[in-house]
Every structure is written in structure tokens, then in C-alpha cells.
């Protein structure tokens, strides 16, 4: 989730003059070198507090979508653990993706839902730092993990005879560790640079959560270095994975077109169609958010960011359930009780 904020500087300047009617600012006055210095101890999340009725509608929608996201992705993880037929590299990566989607949305959605019901939405300074770190880390991790999944599909279709040797358990584990490590290392870098900046009183974040661009707008110091590193890092963690995905599917498509049988071509493509659908939705949403003309209405930009952060992760379990025969078969077996009975049979009964 590289969640983008399109908040304009002019509105931020207006919000800096907001009085207690929109949100109470808590500041801590401390003496530093004999002079007063205002230190921010919490932030006010503006959200859509000017449209409380809309927030009530969003509360119901986001609660439903978040529930589908958590239950659906938890089901995928559970099926992968229970069904031996799903103990393959593809479903190993899918379980990582499901865990990532649950963690990413859970890092900000529960608090956001509570804030929808409150007249004032606040978050502590450490809480905001943790929320920003997790959302940025998990969004970056998903970019890299989708590329790892594309490599897995490339080996499965283009190198089928060497698949079990190349995509062994150790290789898959290292690929997953690389994905998670890259995401959290990138987020740690940005978090250190962001929270080393001075924040001297202006504490109203024009967003639903602590998104890095919205937080940087509140800093009192020079953010040119942060902006440069953020741009470079965003290019590094998005463009190479996207290029790797593109090249993988070029080779996959070339290999599939060489297959003489139409049934074999359909079977080969069906093994990667779900992943390709997830990639298109993921990068399509990012592209629309960042490359569309800047909207005059800030609420539209915030709603788009909300759609990307809440709705998109809930698509993954639906896509993999509808487009994957093995997942559907495992789900039916779970409903019948076959999976649980087989799992329990593995444990010896002690009399």
C-alpha cells in the first residue's frame, strides 16, 4: 500500500489556523536554551469531519469491506495450512500476501472506524509514527512480493521440469524474507528521516490516517531531502518489480502460445490469471492515483486513497477463490469437515 496524499498546501495553511471547533490541539511547552518551544504530542486526523453523514456511510462500508478482507485472507491462510495439496510455492507466497493484506489494513482501519464515530479524531505522536511505519512498510512489501510471485509463475510455466529444484523451500523462504525485509527497511529509512524533522505545533493531518506525505506537510524544517529520497525510493521499490513482472509475463505468454493444444494453453494460463488480475488492480489503482490530474476537491483524493487502502486488499481472496480450482476444492472440503478430520487424524489419540 504506497498510500498517496494529494492534500494541497493552501488547505494545510488554512488548517493551521483552525480553532477548537474543529479539533483541540494539545501542545507541550518546554524550555530549551531559555526560549519557549512548542512540541507536538498528538495529531488531529481531519478525515471528513465536515461531512459527518458521509462518515457514517463510510463507517458501514469500511467495516463490511474490512471484515471481508480479514475473514477472506484468514481463510486463505487457514486452507494453506490444512490442505496438503496447497503446500506449494504459489500458495506459500499467497499466504504471505494474505497476511500482508490483513496486517496492512489492520494498521489503520480499526482506528479510522472509531474516528468515524467521534467528533474529534486524535492519535498520539508514537501511535502516528507506528501507523506511518507499518502502512508504508507493508505497501512496499506487497510490490516486491508480487514480483516474487511472478517469478514463481515464470519458473512453473517456462521451466516446469526444473520447478521443484529451483523453487524449493529454502529458495521460497529467502524470496519471502527479501520481500518483507525490503519493505520494512525502506519504511525504516523514511521514518527516521521524517521523525527527525521538527514539528512545532501544527498538528492537523488532512487525511484519515498518518500517511507520510500528509505528515511531512506539517514539518517546520526543510523537507527537500525527504522529498528527494522518497521519490528515489518509490521509483526503486516500484519500477524494478513492475519490470520483472512485465518480463516474466512476456516469457510466460510466449511459452503458452507455443503450446499446440488449446486445452493445455488454457490450463497453463489459468495458473497465473489470478496473480495477473491482482497485479493489474494493484498497479492500476496506483497509476490512477498518482498520474491523474490533481483534483480541485480534496475529498475526492482522500476517498481514492481510502479505496486503495481498504477496498483493494479485499479483492485478493475473492479473486483467488473464484479463479482457482484448488482453492475452491479446498474450501468445499473445509465446509464438509474433511480437512479438519484429516488434520485431526494426524494427531495420535492418547488413552
Amino acid at each position: 500500500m504506497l498510500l498517496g496524499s494529494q492534500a494541497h498546501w493552501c488547505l494545510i495553511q488554512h488548517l493551521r489556523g483552525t480553532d477548537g471547533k474543529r479539533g483541540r490541539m494539545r501542545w507541550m511547552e518546554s524550555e530549551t536554551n531559555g526560549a519557549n518551544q512548542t512540541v507536538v504530542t498528538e495529531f488531529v486526523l481531519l478525515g471528513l469531519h465536515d461531512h459527518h453523514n458521509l462518515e457514517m456511510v463510510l463507517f458501514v462500508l469500511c467495516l463490511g469491506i474490512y471484515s471481508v478482507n480479514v475473514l477472506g485472507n484468514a481463510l486463505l491462510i487457514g486452507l494453506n495450512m490444512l490442505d496438503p495439496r496447497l503446500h506449494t510455492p504459489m500458495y506459500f507466497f499467497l499466504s504471505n500476501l494474505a497476511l500482508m493484506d490483513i496486517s496492512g489494513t489492520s494498521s489503520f482501519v480499526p482506528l479510522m472506524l472509531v474516528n468515524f464515530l467521534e467528533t474529534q479524531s486524535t492519535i498520539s505522536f508514537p501511535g502516528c509514527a507506528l501507523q506511518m511505519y507499518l502502512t508504508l512498510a507493508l505497501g512496499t512489501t506487497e510490490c516486491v512480493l508480487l514480483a516474487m510471485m511472478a517469478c514463481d509463475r515464470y519458473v512453473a510455466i517456462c521451466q516446469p521440469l526444473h520447478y521443484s529444484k529451483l523453487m524449493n523451500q529454502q529458495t521460497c523462504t529467502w524470496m519471502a524474507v527479501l520481500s518483507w525485509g525490503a519493505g520494512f527497511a525502506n519504511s525504516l529509512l523514511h521514518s527516521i528521516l521524517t521523525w527527525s524533522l521538527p514539528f512545532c505545533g501544527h498538528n492537523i493531518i488532512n487525511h484519515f490516517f498518518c500517511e507520510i506525505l500528509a505528515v511531512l506537510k506539517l514539518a517546520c524544517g526543510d523537507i527537500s531531502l525527504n522529498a528527494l529520497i522518497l521519490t528515489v525510493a518509490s521509483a526503486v521499490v516500484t519500477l524494478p518489480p513492475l519490470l520483472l513482472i512485465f518480463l516474466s509475463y512476456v516469457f510466460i505468454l510466449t511459452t503458452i502460445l507455443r503450446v499446440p493444444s488449446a486445452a493445455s494453453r488454457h490450463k497453463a494460463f489459468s495458473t497465473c490469471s489470478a496473480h495477473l488480475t491482482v497485479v493489474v488492480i494493484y498497479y492500476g489503482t496506483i497509476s490512477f492515483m498518482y498520474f491523474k490530474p490533481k483534483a480541485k476537491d480534496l475529498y475526492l483524493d482522500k476517498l481514492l486513497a481510502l479505496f486503495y487502502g481498504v477496498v483493494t486488499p479485499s479483492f485478493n481472496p475473492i479473486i483467488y477463490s473464484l479463479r482457482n480450482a484448488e482453492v475452491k476444492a479446498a474450501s468445499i472440503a473445509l465446509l464438509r469437515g474433511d480437512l479438519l478430520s484429516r488434520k485431526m487424524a494426524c494427531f495420535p489419540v492418547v488413552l
Side-chain angles (χ1 to χ4, degrees):
M1 315 184 295
L2 304 174
L3 301 168
S5 169
Q6 305 295 328
H8 298 293
W9 276 101
C10 56
L11 182 59
I12 293 296
Q13 296 295 333
H14 168 72
L15 293 175
R16 287 176 173 177
T18 304
D19 57 15
K21 182 177 180 181
R22 183 169 287 181
R24 180 166 51 93
M25 299 181 183
R26 296 179 185 175
W27 299 331
M28 180 179 68
E29 297 293 337
S30 62
E31 290 289 331
T32 305
N33 298 328
N36 289 333
Q37 184 179 23
T38 303
V39 180
V40 174
T41 60
E42 70 174 17
F43 293 96
V44 177
L45 298 171
L46 188 60
L48 295 175
H49 282 342
D50 288 342
H51 299 77
H52 188 64
N53 291 334
L54 180 57
E55 284 193 324
M56 292 297 99
V57 175
L58 289 176
F59 172 82
V60 176
L61 290 176
C62 290
L63 178 60
I65 295 171
Y66 176 66
S67 300
V68 171
N69 173 28
V70 173
L71 294 176
N73 283 298
L75 177 62
L76 286 177
I77 296 174
L79 290 175
N80 183 63
M81 295 173 61
L82 293 173
D83 195 337
R85 294 172 298 179
L86 302 184
H87 293 174
T88 63
M90 183 176 75
Y91 294 106
F92 170 76
F93 290 122
L94 179 58
S95 294
N96 277 266
L97 182 63
L99 177 61
M100 194 180 308
D101 287 335
I102 293 175
S103 303
T105 53
S106 297
S107 66
F108 73 96
V109 172
L111 179 61
M112 184 183 69
L113 292 175
V114 173
N115 290 340
F116 281 153
L117 303 178
E118 301 288 341
T119 55
Q120 166 153 341
S121 307
T122 59
I123 185 172
S124 66
F125 193 97
C128 186
L130 178 61
Q131 189 180 78
M132 189 191 82
Y133 175 74
L134 290 176
T135 54
L136 183 60
L138 293 165
T140 305
T141 302
E142 185 162 0
C143 282
V144 182
L145 185 63
L146 288 174
M148 298 296 105
M149 296 174 74
C151 291
D152 169 68
R153 292 298 83 206
Y154 162 76
V155 177
I157 295 176
C158 300
Q159 304 288 334
L161 298 179
H162 304 284
Y163 182 68
S164 58
K165 180 180 178 180
L166 295 175
M167 299 301 296
N168 55 56
Q169 184 176 1
Q170 183 178 10
T171 301
C172 293
T173 301
W174 277 111
M175 292 170 71
V177 170
L178 175 62
S179 301
W180 289 89
F184 279 82
N186 175 67
S187 182
L188 180 62
L189 171 64
H190 293 304
S191 295
I192 292 174
L193 291 175
T194 298
W195 300 113
S196 62
L197 294 169
F199 291 86
C200 18
H202 305 298
N203 70 334
I204 298 181
I205 297 177
N206 189 24
H207 216 298
F208 295 104
F209 54 92
C210 292
E211 191 269 340
I212 184 170
L213 295 181
V215 172
L216 283 175
K217 291 181 183 295
L218 304 183
C220 303
D222 182 16
I223 63 171
S224 56
L225 176 62
N226 299 73
L228 175 62
I229 294 179
L230 184 61
T231 302
V232 173
S234 298
V236 169
V237 300
T238 55
L239 296 182
L242 182 59
L243 178 62
L244 185 59
I245 292 170
F246 175 75
L247 292 177
S248 297
Y249 276 102
V250 168
F251 288 115
I252 288 172
L253 185 60
T254 303
T255 301
I256 291 177
L257 292 178
R258 291 174 181 171
V259 177
S261 171
S264 299
R265 287 197 299 269
H266 180 268
K267 182 179 179 180
F269 186 75
S270 65
T271 61
C272 56
S273 59
H275 173 259
L276 184 59
T277 303
V278 171
V279 168
V280 170
I281 293 175
Y282 182 79
Y283 278 99
T285 307
I286 291 179
S287 301
F288 180 76
M289 286 177 56
Y290 283 96
F291 297 111
K292 70 175 182 63
K294 184 172 290 187
K296 296 181 179 180
D297 188 356
L298 293 177
Y299 296 118
L300 177 59
D301 288 324
K302 287 191 282 188
L303 289 175
L304 288 174
L306 186 64
F307 174 87
Y308 170 69
V310 179
V311 179
T312 304
S314 66
F315 287 154
N316 295 345
I318 298 174
I319 292 171
Y320 276 96
S321 297
L322 294 178
R323 302 185 67 86
N324 193 293
E326 292 174 321
V327 173
K328 286 190 286 188
S331 301
I332 294 173
L334 179 64
L335 292 175
R336 291 176 178 173
D338 296 340
L339 284 182
L340 292 177
S341 61
R342 270 183 283 172
K343 199 69 176 179
M344 293 301 296
C346 297
F347 296 95
V349 178
V350 180
L351 298 177

